[in-house]
Amino acid sequence: WGLAVFWAVWYCGPATGGVVMIVTATHTTGSDVHQSGATITTLTKTPMVPSAAGEPSPAAGELALTLLHDAAAEMGAVCLDGSPPGYYFRKGVGEGARKFLLVFNGGGWCKGGTAEEVAEACASRAAGPLGSSTHWAQTLTPDLHGVDNPNCTINPAFCTWSVAYMYYCDGVSFSGDLEAPISVPGAKVSTVYFRGRRVLEANINHLLQTRSLGDATAVVLSGHSAGGLATYLHADAVRALLPASLQSFRAMPDAGFFADLPDVRGVKSFGAEMRATWRVANATASLQSQCVARQTDPTDCIFPENFVKDIVTPLHVIQSQYDSAQLLMTLGLPCTPTNGSCNATMMSAFLEFGAASRAVANASGLYSGAPDRAIWTDACIAHTQSYYGDYYDNTRWEVPAGSGMTLADAVDGWVTGRTIGPAASHVDTVVWPNNKPCSTYGDLVSP
């Protein structure tokens, strides 16, 4: 009953309170189903938490919105609906003020099997906060357990850093590069823009000019879900926009390693829809040139498995071996492995998908232990573990189980340089459900 929806749009955003999940053909904001044992809690997800009314001063820890009206007017940097782009910002403390965490939000893509379906999906997205800044709140509340939290007990790596949280709002992970808008007759938003590359450049330029990003001593680019994919796609391009004198630039994509794998029918339907959106948005300029030269089809280079080897920027990858969003959207799994609802055929497909995901990541060099490649990968069902949910500093999510090594500890070791090379990587060598403490969680993300 949910499959028809998540083939059209996939989304992951900051979570608010638990409610009953309702999925319909027009539902686009998304939800996460968090399962612990037999108890399921559904968390609806919206891009902004506080009310958008007024111009309040941010409360402690909150990030304040800046809209870039000049960039919209001068360089055509706009969201899907033509509204100005922007970002949320919180200045760091002490020495952390000159260290920047740049975050790309999650939110999925507007997708479809044909150009017409893509246009309709993106017009629909343009009417909400994933495609229009007119719906954005004035402040953004940080995650309770994640890399944007200013509590140093929860988030020792980045608690004092300056944080810029960016919404791509082009439906294609900051990659759209279409000069002329497209017309979608009959849609609530009938004129749709794909200007994500301009949005990204405008955000970075404004941070350089007004937030002292140009004086930074260290920058980590991160992102989750579709923002994680954006981190892979744009890490080197963002580095090129920053001063050559910058001492340290690294990237930490979370849950963005979307593999081009078949669904339960043996069809690569998810990949086909990603490619269709890419073509409509004219996003080819965002692809790694080395990958494009190697591959017969340039759109193969949307998928990190085909270009991660070409990324110059040092990486710390965060990726579940059983990514819950991919279980739904890529595999099309119609059941939840942790609650006994999968039959033998579907359980086999689930386990084979995990094995294929591990194999693709390994073939891409992510398990190599190279000095510029680190990875955190657990054998449990999860998505975006350094942002929402309670994964980040939770001792039930350790790799390996019982080691005391949480994701927060691993990230802190990598950021501070306490762990380098192979010691910075933490790979679950067991298969599900053999990392027992987290094996009962079944975080199935439904768009």
Side-chain angles (χ1 to χ4, degrees):
W1 48 271
L3 292 175
V5 179
F6 57 69
W7 294 134
V9 181
W10 50 283
Y11 170 58
C12 198
T16 57
V19 298
V20 177
M21 179 172 65
I22 301 174
V23 178
T24 70
T26 59
H27 185 68
T28 60
T29 55
S31 63
D32 267 7
V33 181
H34 294 267
Q35 178 180 344
S36 178
T39 302
I40 298 178
T41 302
T42 302
L43 302 177
T44 56
K45 292 186 169 182
T46 54
M48 309 300 160
V49 178
S51 168
E55 294 279 349
S57 297
E62 289 189 336
L63 290 79
L65 176 64
T66 295
L67 288 177
L68 306 182
H69 296 279
D70 288 348
E74 295 170 6
M75 58 186 291
V78 294
C79 297
L80 284 170
D81 71 332
S83 60
Y87 61 87
Y88 289 82
F89 184 75
R90 182 183 70 226
K91 186 175 181 179
V93 178
E95 293 182 2
R98 295 185 64 195
K99 299 177 181 180
F100 281 73
L101 175 66
L102 308 179
V103 180
F104 293 159
N105 77 300
W109 288 13
C110 35
K111 302 190 288 83
T114 65
E116 182 179 11
E117 290 173 356
V118 169
E120 291 172 352
C122 293
S124 177
R125 171 179 286 239
L130 291 175
S132 172
S133 64
T134 63
H135 299 273
W136 295 357
Q138 296 300 319
T139 58
L140 178 67
T141 300
D143 296 296
L144 291 176
H145 298 270
V147 295
D148 59 350
N149 192 298
N151 184 323
C152 292
T153 300
I154 293 170
N155 178 33
F158 300 109
C159 59
T160 65
W161 287 37
S162 296
V163 180
Y165 203 106
M166 295 177 254
Y167 286 76
Y168 51 93
C169 72
D170 74 327
V172 205
S173 294
F174 286 117
S175 300
D177 194 25
L178 192 64
E179 179 63 33
I182 63 173
S183 178
V184 188
K188 182 177 180 180
V189 178
S190 58
T191 301
V192 177
Y193 298 82
F194 292 98
R195 303 278 181 79
R197 281 174 60 84
R198 301 186 200 188
V199 168
L200 176 56
E201 182 178 353
N203 281 336
I204 298 299
N205 285 343
H206 195 269
L207 288 164
L208 287 167
Q209 295 164 9
T210 69
R211 306 295 188 188
S212 301
L213 177 59
D215 297 325
T217 58
V219 175
V220 170
L221 176 66
S222 184
H224 49 94
S225 195
L229 177 56
T231 304
Y232 287 109
L233 288 166
H234 303 298
D236 289 349
V238 170
R239 178 62 186 93
L241 293 172
L242 303 178
S245 58
L246 175 62
Q247 298 171 18
S248 174
F249 179 81
R250 294 181 286 176
M252 191 175 70
D254 183 354
F257 197 86
F258 288 91
D260 191 17
L261 294 172
D263 60 26
V264 293
R265 303 166 299 167
V267 178
K268 292 185 176 181
S269 52
F270 178 75
E273 293 189 344
M274 296 278 281
R275 296 170 197 270
T277 299
W278 196 266
R279 294 185 179 103
V280 170
N282 189 40
T284 301
S286 292
L287 299 176
Q288 286 279 348
S289 58
Q290 303 97 312
C291 180
V292 172
R294 279 195 310 269
Q295 302 296 124
T296 302
D297 182 352
T299 61
D300 288 346
C301 303
I302 299 170
F303 305 97
E305 66 202 71
N306 295 320
F307 70 86
V308 69
K309 68 179 73 173
D310 303 314
I311 298 174
V312 176
T313 301
L315 298 177
H316 185 292
V317 172
I318 301 167
Q319 187 71 45
S320 168
Q321 296 171 24
Y322 302 87
D323 185 282
S324 52
Q326 295 189 55
L327 290 175
L328 281 174
M329 298 178 298
T330 305
L331 181 61
L333 193 69
C335 56
T336 302
T338 56
N339 68 5
S341 62
C342 296
N343 61 28
T345 300
M346 290 299 102
M347 282 302 297
S348 177
F350 160 68
L351 294 172
E352 289 173 5
F353 188 84
S357 296
R358 289 191 298 274
V360 168
N362 188 34
S364 302
L366 294 184
Y367 294 179
S368 67
D372 63 344
R373 294 289 185 268
I375 186 169
W376 164 279
T377 177
D378 54 303
C380 288
I381 300 171
H383 188 63
T384 62
Q385 292 171 272
S386 64
Y387 291 88
Y388 358 97
D390 62 350
Y391 315 104
Y392 189 58
D393 59 328
N394 189 338
T395 55
R396 293 189 67 178
W397 294 82
E398 296 176 346
V399 176
S403 66
M405 183 57 65
T406 65
L407 177 54
D409 293 329
V411 169
D412 188 51
W414 176 73
V415 169
T416 60
R418 290 199 319 271
T419 54
I420 59 175
S425 288
H426 304 274
V427 178
D428 240 345
T429 57
V430 300
V431 298
W432 187 91
N434 293 324
N435 185 325
K436 295 297 184 182
C438 59
S439 65
T440 57
Y441 284 73
D443 185 5
L444 299 185
V445 181
S446 176

